[in-house]
């Protein structure tokens, strides 16, 4: 009789082959095509030699503390290595949102206000439309120690990512009660592109997946002991300050969990009430923030703390207007793991190795079957998280990889469950699946640290701060003009100059639109259409603007800094 599991995995292999072919047709990456075909070949060879032997020798190895610790710490070492090698140079440069967070953290540390003049704000005004504040406050100690630089901008996410590897092991242990499954999950978390890439990018919302991971561990433990609901709600309260979408995600997630507990009479009302009072206290400043930005009340100053009124509030980014459009976008986004933004993924590999997408679906099927057979609260909680995540994606305006970051921890949980189920009965499939994962990982690293980093360099304004520093050394009292194609260049000037927010606010000039775009401060002039240059001032342009024709007509000296040119 044909084994049902072999049939299931054969279907998954066909689905993975189709994804591989479509990926090649769309992106034309021969390198990724060869990698994916090799991965499929290894999996199919594992199928051919499939034998149900329960991996007794593997269990014996993992029950041996020495070998378990060798495997455990080897995965940790791999995770740390891939996250720290070339840390400040990959990605090359500093993204504008990283720069915004970095300067505001520096400004709060040294002057007690952000660059918009808000004293210890609960939410950063940033470009005018806001930025969650937690990452900036966590970055402050590192700026105090190491200075205002790329390392300080990224170190918090690096530490959270390394902590996340440990936490994901523990989460999988809670879910599966298996060391073997937990190590597989740990390896997945350590090597998927998403967790590696966000560990190297100081974007405020990148904290959310880690905070949700830490919170969910305590929430799962609270199912058996409601004392753990207190630390869960403390962490969830802090999580509210990582990403605005958490204002929707966390309440919906908790409501679903609480309904289950109430129906099953698991609620300890003492801990339940204390925990939710704590969560509500964390939420009060943000509730007031929402009321202010919906125009219901005025901006609030409580002692040194500001609950600010933003120049523009992006309330329209969540609603039903794009629901039916997103019904089409959602499967495409999850299947392709590509939102058209180079800085979010390597197109041919995706953020979770897109060839493995069918396995994630298989993991969801396994979870549902497991719950039907014998209820597993951990799996139930993560199925709820996935469903709520999908609902929110359908309500988002223009969803992308960053905006849907609440989906990726559940995604990794179900992918890990599928991989464990795939390999747990056969030494052959264990070896070959492990080889497949490492092959994907090596392919990612070879692209990420070379080709991708070169492509991303202009988007992360690599060379701009060096250009500003050089121009500043030449300027004296001369004006420094920035091309209109260099967006938000002023934030890099503030970083290079280590400028005080008071001087910036006192000398800046802005335009009349609702974002209040900075056009001038000090001797810097921004957003200028540069068609010719005079003989007195200094100009900074994008290298791509500095074309042959412009160069031929130039009578002044110039110096190139990666993606930028200084004319002086």
């Amino acid at each position: 009789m044909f084994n049902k599991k072999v049939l299931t995995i054969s279907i998954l292999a066909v689905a993975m082959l189709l994804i591989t072919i479509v990926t090649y047709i769309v992106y034309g990456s021969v390198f990724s095509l060869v990698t994916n075909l090799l991965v499929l070949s290894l999996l199919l060879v594992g199928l051919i030699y499939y034998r149900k032997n329960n991996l007794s020798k593997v269990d014996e190895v993992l029950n041996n503390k020495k070998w378990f610790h060798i495997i455990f710490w080897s995965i940790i070492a791999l995770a740390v290595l891939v996250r720290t090698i070339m840390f400040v140079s990959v990605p090359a440069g500093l993204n504008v949102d990283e720069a915004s967070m970095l300067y505001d953290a520096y400004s709060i540390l040294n002057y007690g206000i952000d660059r918009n003049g808000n004293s210890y704000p609960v939410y950063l005004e940033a470009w005018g439309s806001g930025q969650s504040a937690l990452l900036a406050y966590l970055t402050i100690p590192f700026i105090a120690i190491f200075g205002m630089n790329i390392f300080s901008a990224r170190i918090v996410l690096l530490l959270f990512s390394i902590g996340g590897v440990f936490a994901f092991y523990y989460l999988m242990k809670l879910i599966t009660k298996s060391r073997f499954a937990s190590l597989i999950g740990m390896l997945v978390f350590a090597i998927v592109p998403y967790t590696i890439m966000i560990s190297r990018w100081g974007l405020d919302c990148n904290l959310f997946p880690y905070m949700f991971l830490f919170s969910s561990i305590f929430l799962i433990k609270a199912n058996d002991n409601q004392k753990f609901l207190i630390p869960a709600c403390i962490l969830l309260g802090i999580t509210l300050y990582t990403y605005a979408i958490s204002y929707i995600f966390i309440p919906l997630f908790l409501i679903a969990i609480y309904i289950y507990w109430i129906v099953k009479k698991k609620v300890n009302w003492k801990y339940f009430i204390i925990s939710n009072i704590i969560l509500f206290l964390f939420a009060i400043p943000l509730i007031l923030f929402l009321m202010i930005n919906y125009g219901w009340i005025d901006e609030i100053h409580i002692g040194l703390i500001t609950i600010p009124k933003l120049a523009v509030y992006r309330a329209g980014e969540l609603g039903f207007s794009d629901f039916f459009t997103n019904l089409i976008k959602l499967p495409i986004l999850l299947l392709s793991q590509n939102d058209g933004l180079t800085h979010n993924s390597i197109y041919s590999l995706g953020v979770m190795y897109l060839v493995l997408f069918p396995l994630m679906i298989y993991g969801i099927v396994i979870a549902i079957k497991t719950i039907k057979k014998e209820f597993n609260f951990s799996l139930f909680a993560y199925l709820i998280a996935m469903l709520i995540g999908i609902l929110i994606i359908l309500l988002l305006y223009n969803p992308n990889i960053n905006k849907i970051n609440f989906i990726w921890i559940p995604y990794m949980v179900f992918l890990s469950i599928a991989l464990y189920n795939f390999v747990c009965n056969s030494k052959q499939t264990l070896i070959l699946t492990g080889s497949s994962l490492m092959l994907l990982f090596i392919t990612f690293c070879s692209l990420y640290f070379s080709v991708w980093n070169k492509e991303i360099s202009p988007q992360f304004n690599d060379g701009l701060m060096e250009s500003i520093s050089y121009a500043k050394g030449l300027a004296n009292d001369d004006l420094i003009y920035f091309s209109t194609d260099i967006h938000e260049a002023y934030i890099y000037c503030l970083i290079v100059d280590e400028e005080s927010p008071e001087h910036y606010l006192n000398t800046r000039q802005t335009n009349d639109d609702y974002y209040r775009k900075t056009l001038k401060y000090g001797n810097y002039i921004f957003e200028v259409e540069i068609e010719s240059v005079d003989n007195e001032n200094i100009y900074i342009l994008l290298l791509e603007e500095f074309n042959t024709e412009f160069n031929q007509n130039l009578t002044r000296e110039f110096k190139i800094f990666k993606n930028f040119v200084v004319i002086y």
Side-chain angles (χ1 to χ4, degrees), residues 45 66 79 222 315 341 481 545:
V45 170
K66 177 185 175 181
L341 301 173
Y481 289 89
E545 293 179 271

Side-chain angles (χ1 to χ4, degrees), residues 183-198:
L183 288 172
I184 290 173
M186 188 184 188
L187 178 63
V188 167
F189 192 95
I191 68 171
V192 292
Y194 179 73
T195 58
I196 296 168
M197 293 173 79
I198 68 170

Side-chain angles (χ1 to χ4, degrees), residues 69-121:
H69 284 121
I70 288 173
I71 296 169
F72 182 92
W73 290 107
S74 295
I75 295 173
I76 293 295
L78 179 65
V80 172
L81 179 64
V82 76
R83 284 159 173 76
T84 55
I85 189 170
M86 301 170 66
F87 182 61
V88 299
S89 57
V90 182
L94 192 68
N95 176 266
V96 290
D97 288 321
E98 280 184 302
S100 173
M101 179 280 299
L102 179 66
Y103 180 75
D104 278 339
Y106 166 84
S107 181
I108 292 169
L109 168 65
N110 291 285
Y111 302 95
I113 59 173
D114 67 7
R115 71 179 184 271
N116 290 290
N118 299 310
S119 172
Y120 298 100

Side-chain angles (χ1 to χ4, degrees), residues 42-55:
L42 288 171
L43 294 177
L44 289 173
V45 170
L47 280 175
I48 292 170
Y49 288 98
Y50 177 87
R51 286 191 298 273
K52 191 168 184 178
N53 54 31
N54 295 317
L55 292 172

Side-chain angles (χ1 to χ4, degrees), residues 208 212 219 236 243 245-260 318 323 330 334 364 379-396 403-408 410-411 414:
F208 177 84
F212 177 70
L219 197 65
L236 288 169
Y243 184 28
I245 294 297
S246 67
Y247 308 165
I248 303 295
F249 183 90
I250 289 174
L252 290 176
F253 181 62
L254 283 178
I255 287 169
I257 298 301
Y258 290 168
I259 289 173
Y260 167 76
L318 195 68
F323 184 86
L330 173 61
L334 292 179
I364 292 176
L379 287 177
F380 169 75
Y382 266 90
L383 281 172
I384 291 296
M386 179 67 93
L387 287 172
I388 292 171
I390 289 170
L391 174 63
I392 293 175
I393 293 172
L394 295 175
L395 300 177
L396 272 176
K403 286 184 180 181
I404 68 169
N405 61 11
F406 43 80
I407 207 89
W408 300 123
Y411 191 112
F414 297 122

